[in-house]
Amino acid sequence: MKNSVGKRAQRVDGLAKVTGCAKFVADLMPGGALCAKILHSPHPHAEIVSIDTTAAEKLPGVKAVICGRDYPLHTGLYHVDQYMFAMEKVRYVGEPVAAVAALDEKTAAQAIDLIKVRYRKLKPNFDPIHGMKKSAPLIHPNLHKYFHVSAINPVPHTNIANHFKIRKGDPDSAFKKSFCIIENRFHVPQIQHVPMETHGAIALAEQTGRITVWSSCQSPFTVRYLMANCFKREIGDIRVIAPYVGGGFGCKAGINIEPITVALALKCPGRHVKLILTREEEMYTVVVRQACHIRIKSGVDRTGRILAQENEYIWDCGAYAGYGVNIVRAAGYSICGAYNIDNLKGDSIGVYTNRPVGSAFRGFGMSEIHWAIEQQMDILAHELGIDPVEFRHINALKPGSHNATGELVTVNTGNIHKCLDQVAADLGWGKKLPKYRALGIALAQKAPAMPNNATSSAVVKFNENGGVELLFSGMEIGQGVMTAMAQICAETLEIPLEKVTVVGLPDTDYSPYEWQTVASRLTFSCGNAVKKAAEDAICQMKIISAGIFKVRADDVVYKNGVFSHKNKSIELVQICMGYQFTDGHTVGGAIVGRGHFTAEGCINCDPDTGYSPKPVANWTFGAQGVDLSVCPETGRITIHKVSCTYDVGKVINPLTIEGQAYGGIVQGMGAGIMEQLIVDEQTGMVKNPSLVDYKIPTALDMPEEMTASFVETAQLDGPFGARGVGEHTMIPTPAAIANAVYHATGVRIMDLPVTPEKILSGMHGLDFDSKDSNAKPEQPVSRSKKKRGRPPLYAKKWDRVKR
């Protein structure tokens, strides 16, 4: 490419200069801001008998005390099921019950202690499988009254928040024809996002009724929209400003603590109210990644072709599912991963429990389902004596095949086979390795899980020297979107990258609209909007040039900052602010290019069959492999190398895409070998709500070597052919690790994370019984019994029938 796209452009976002959102804004406020604190529920499920705030209100320095009776308001993006404060009952430990605003943090904390709440305990449920039974306590008796978007299918008068179905072909008949049938169960626990910056927000309610919010969020326009709905205000009455975000990974998508901050500000007109969560509050009082119980039953023929499959995902949505129901949907239309299976039965079911609230997390359900899918593929290959790479080649999607929803795969959908071959080559697949050292591989697919009407917009404003100011509202959360958008703009305008200035950070009063910074969608969606805005500017200047040349605009040629027709030419800088003729009269004016983009042709899946000819905007495919060794004495894993290859359509910036790849690998390692949010099933309390007990990877845990490479099968409607890849390298990492551990030790771990204790117990044939595990060990469930149960922590055998 000519100027910017595809080059290792340095970042333009200046992240190193930025401090936390709330501190940064509060420091600018004369007299400082009022400090807010939240009173959280100590019970997982209990009726609220009474709330007495009298003592807290009388404490000197307290400016506001609020609870559910003050603001009995619902919120939620896809499913409006959550109160700002608990009303009749609490549904998880950590749920907001009341809040205060005071002159300082100490006074606010004292006021929280003075609020008296009487509870009547109710029977909790922490198991989504039990939650599906009629005997389970109803977490949301009014589920049938909640508003939800059309793509969500709750089951009234149950705990099922969403049920997505896939019915394709005739699985029953195909299973009867299968040479081998294998059924397994897997489990994925809840984990935490652990952003470097915890949730923070500041709100100001003016005497005029105007509300301004500064929020560390991924979605300022969605926050504004949901806030207007929640408080029954006009959208124009609310302004949201979003500074740089110190890590998101999905936990700052949608809306979180902002309504509480606004509610307090409305009680203190003219005063800024600041709410910053502590690390412990961050760990369990806002949102976490959902847990999932998985069952996969596969039937294959003698050649290794999958003839039929049943995939069942029982999602633990936690106490609320306003965002989590869309994860259930995404897992549904991606039910069997990147495989071509003609006969398929799939059920993705989201169930309310009394655990912390499940929500978006990097990968949006794909890491969870691929943990099971990619191990199942290895198990099938092993049983049939087929190489795992070859088995995937036999069954992976290719042009002419149809995915789970019936969508036709074309040559431009993406080439997962190239990705697989590249990773196998990078790892030296098939090479002889020492004892207890082995390779593992896994595939991945993901689409941007967004509404069909999710849109992006951008503005390009020219200045006097021919440079441009680029305005868009994709959030910079460390992924380098500001750099990528500047490159797309420069490439389209055919001007040097230095001529592009990315303006500020999103402010809903002044910035162009952006749905959300989620779903690995910005390069594709926002990138298209930026490209269209730049093209619109060129079109305007062609019209001006045509008037100067006295020709049709279609006859004007633009190249490298110069407009020309035959032997006439004029530079961009001469007309971008209007052109003045020698006699003084002027044509044109300051050029402002406008662009917007919404993916075309997406159709909701049929609620009974899951069929859709185009359920999503696009798919990104990839493969990942791991080279690791296991210490036979301790079970400790050493990861020597991780290699990944993804078909991204077009690499916009090699430097930032490599950073995304390596970051995803390491975050996937954390989910794979160490991370788990542990809930006490007697009290509902989280047992590891700090970084002392909740472990994430550090520099000492990094693989010895990481490689990333990319295939470029152009996305026809992508900017320069690009599609997203921000989340994808996290998706297959845990499964690739588990497959390598099996090849090294013969121990098959079914329950994340893959810990030394589980490996060692499996190697020595012991029953691993950890009191800190939420998935109780038990033997695999036989096909003949056909009962649901929790998965084994490890298994050297699996349920199978050969014919």
Side-chain angles (χ1 to χ4, degrees), residues 229-455:
N229 283 351
C230 180
F231 288 96
K232 306 295 187 290
R233 299 289 184 108
E234 291 294 327
I235 288 179
D237 290 339
I238 299 173
R239 177 187 182 190
V240 178
I241 302 169
Y244 291 105
V245 177
F249 313 115
C251 71
K252 295 173 184 174
I255 194 167
N256 291 283
I257 64 171
E258 294 88 357
I260 294 176
T261 316
V262 169
L264 287 167
L266 288 170
K267 295 288 186 178
C268 309
R271 296 295 302 267
H272 294 81
V273 177
K274 173 180 65 175
L275 175 60
I276 304 176
L277 298 189
T278 65
R279 177 59 62 185
E280 183 171 341
E281 288 175 316
E282 183 74 27
M283 294 298 286
Y284 66 93
T285 69
V286 271
V287 293
V288 302
R289 190 176 83 175
Q290 297 182 139
C292 193
H293 297 260
I294 301 169
R295 180 183 65 86
I296 301 181
K297 173 185 173 182
S298 307
V300 294
D301 65 17
R302 293 176 184 271
T303 69
R305 170 71 61 188
I306 301 174
L307 300 181
Q309 191 157 286
E310 291 181 2
N311 293 61
E312 182 185 66
Y313 306 132
I314 309 299
W315 294 90
D316 188 338
C317 291
Y320 297 97
Y323 214 115
V325 289
N326 199 38
I327 298 168
V328 176
R329 183 181 76 97
Y333 60 63
S334 310
I335 200 94
C336 61
Y339 295 97
N340 177 27
I341 303 174
D342 292 330
N343 303 287
L344 183 61
K345 179 184 178 183
D347 291 278
S348 184
I349 304 172
V351 184
Y352 289 116
T353 68
N354 294 113
R355 291 182 182 274
V357 178
S359 188
F361 192 106
R362 188 178 191 175
F364 209 74
M366 297 304 101
S367 184
E368 297 92 302
I369 68 174
H370 281 75
W371 162 251
I373 292 168
E374 290 303 312
Q375 287 204 77
Q376 182 80 348
M377 296 303 107
D378 253 40
I379 290 168
L380 291 166
H382 180 270
E383 185 67 20
L384 295 171
I386 300 175
D387 179 85
V389 171
E390 178 59 25
F391 184 84
R392 287 173 169 84
H393 274 308
I394 293 170
N395 290 287
L397 292 166
K398 55 178 67 71
S401 58
H402 293 81
N403 65 17
T405 72
E407 180 183 10
L408 177 66
V409 176
T410 72
V411 293
N412 294 105
T413 304
N415 194 326
I416 198 164
H417 296 272
K418 277 188 178 181
C419 298
L420 179 57
D421 285 338
Q422 184 62 55
V423 168
D426 289 344
L427 286 178
W429 191 264
K431 66 185 177 183
K432 187 173 178 59
L433 293 169
K435 190 176 181 180
Y436 301 118
R437 182 169 178 173
L439 308 179
I441 205 161
L443 302 185
Q445 76 161 19
K446 186 187 181 299
M450 59 188 182
N452 296 343
N453 63 349
T455 190

Side-chain angles (χ1 to χ4, degrees), residues 39 48 50-60 62-70 85 97-101 110-118 264 267:
L39 175 66
I48 298 175
S50 65
I51 302 177
D52 183 358
T53 61
T54 306
E57 292 166 356
K58 292 179 179 179
L59 184 69
V62 171
K63 299 300 180 182
V65 182
I66 58 175
C67 60
R69 62 174 174 256
D70 301 298
F85 296 102
V97 175
V100 303
Q110 290 174 343
I112 287 293
D113 291 338
L114 293 174
I115 299 173
K116 304 302 179 185
V117 184
R118 289 179 55 222
L264 287 167
K267 295 288 186 178

Side-chain angles (χ1 to χ4, degrees), residues 641-654:
K641 183 177 182 179
V642 180
S643 294
C644 71
T645 303
Y646 288 84
D647 191 337
V648 301
K650 177 65 183 178
V651 175
I652 300 296
N653 187 320

